[in-house]
């Protein structure tokens, strides 16, 4: 049975995060933080958690989940990032762009869902929901080192 992460450690990581600051969890053998993240999501205003286990062919699915989660304020858990090294440059750009996006208000959120882009212009980034959180897990590997 996988070891659970201490709930207080997961909560502390959440408290140090923001919609533009992802949370990276480095895994050890037998560890699975997904249950702890899900429990925290439920206890945090019944937050919805989307989850994807990374691997070949998951990039398209992840990009769609990322778009939905950032717009609707959901949490996104990317598990086993070490299996998608070719996707990391795309992910890096998505994360970098978070800081460039305006934080949405409830009015922005409603408008974004009504008109996919509207008059924001072709190059403008859509508003970012302040409740969005990106959680990532990975084992350390030579290509995904912790230092």
């Amino acid at each position: 049975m996988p070891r659970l992460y201490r709930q207080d450690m997961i909560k502390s990581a959440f408290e140090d995060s923001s919609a533009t600051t992802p949370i990276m969890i480095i895994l050890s053998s037998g560890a699975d933080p997904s249950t702890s993240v899900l429990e925290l999501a439920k206890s945090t205003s019944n937050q919805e958690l989307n989850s994807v286990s990374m691997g070949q062919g998951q990039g398209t699915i992840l990009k769609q989940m990322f778009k939905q989660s950032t717009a609707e304020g959901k949490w996104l858990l990317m598990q086993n990032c070490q299996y998608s090294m070719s996707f990391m440059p795309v992910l890096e750009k998505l994360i970098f762009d978070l800081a460039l996006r305006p934080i949405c208000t409830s009015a922005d959120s409603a408008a974004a869902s009504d008109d996919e882009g509207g008059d924001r212009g072709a190059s403008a980034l859509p508003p970012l929901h302040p409740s969005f959180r990106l959680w990532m897990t990975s084992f350390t590997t030579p290509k995904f080192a912790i230092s």
Side-chain angles (χ1 to χ4, degrees):
M1 177 167 193
R3 285 189 317 236
L4 295 179
Y5 276 69
R6 288 184 28 200
Q7 195 65 29
D8 60 327
M9 293 172 69
I10 296 293
K11 186 174 182 184
S12 178
F14 164 70
E15 290 170 348
D16 287 341
S17 72
S18 71
T20 60
T21 306
I23 301 152
M24 175 55 117
I25 301 171
I26 303 299
L27 302 173
S28 59
S29 184
D32 182 9
S34 59
T35 301
S36 297
V37 173
L38 180 59
E39 287 174 5
L40 180 62
K42 287 180 181 177
S43 70
T44 306
S45 303
N46 207 21
Q47 187 63 41
E48 188 173 335
L49 176 70
N50 288 327
S51 180
V52 62
S53 185
M54 297 306 292
Q56 187 173 1
Q58 296 302 305
T60 302
I61 293 167
L62 176 75
K63 285 192 279 188
Q64 185 58 38
M65 286 178 143
F66 193 91
K67 181 179 178 181
Q68 177 191 23
S69 297
T70 57
E72 297 175 7
K74 298 177 182 179
W75 289 7
L76 178 57
L77 174 60
M78 291 177 53
Q79 299 181 59
N80 301 313
C81 291
Q82 75 276 6
Y83 295 130
S84 289
M85 295 311 302
S86 63
F87 185 75
M88 290 303 115
V90 174
L91 179 62
E92 183 177 20
K93 170 101 171 88
L94 290 171
I95 292 170
F96 177 79
D97 285 350
L98 289 175
L100 303 176
R101 294 169 67 169
I103 300 295
C104 75
T105 63
S106 58
D108 291 334
S109 184
S113 63
D114 288 344
D115 80 342
E116 265 308 296
D119 60 355
R120 286 191 310 257
S123 64
L125 294 167
L128 173 62
H129 196 289
S131 296
F132 168 73
R133 292 297 184 277
L134 177 60
W135 298 81
M136 301 180 292
T137 70
S138 179
F139 283 99
T140 186
T141 68
K143 290 187 177 182
F144 204 103
I146 59 174
S147 58

